[in-house]
Amino acid sequence: MNSDVLGWLLAQLGRDAGPTDLAARYNRLHLARAVAQEVLHERIAALVAEPLKVTVNGVATIDNSANVAALERHLGPVPLF
């Protein structure tokens, strides 16, 4: 994976995505877009594995449903295998 591909992946996924992990995925998948899709699918799965909304009456509400929707929009249509 060259620096242009790594730069594109970091721009898509954020700087917290580890370059070593991204390189390993790229070596396995051979396409930067496939790497980005795999990471986004994992992020969505992690969010929906937990309750999307938690409310403590009168104290706080945490709602991750907008985060899931944003990741799904960024991901685009999911190809069927």
Side-chain angles (χ1 to χ4, degrees):
M1 176 170 60
N2 64 36
S3 61
D4 290 337
V5 172
L6 178 59
W8 183 84
L9 283 168
L10 292 173
Q12 298 302 307
L13 302 171
R15 295 284 170 192
D16 61 328
T20 304
D21 177 52
L22 295 176
R25 291 175 193 257
Y26 185 80
N27 287 336
R28 180 172 46 86
L29 298 169
H30 306 291
L31 292 170
R33 185 168 304 281
V35 172
Q37 288 177 334
E38 184 174 84
V39 171
L40 291 174
H41 280 293
E42 287 177 2
R43 289 180 182 178
I44 291 169
L47 283 171
V48 299
E50 301 295 326
L52 288 179
K53 186 173 183 179
V54 176
T55 301
V56 178
N57 288 332
V59 178
T61 298
I62 298 171
D63 187 352
N64 285 321
S65 57
N67 295 346
V68 171
L71 286 172
E72 288 174 336
R73 280 191 310 273
H74 190 65
L75 184 60
V78 178
L80 299 175
F81 293 96

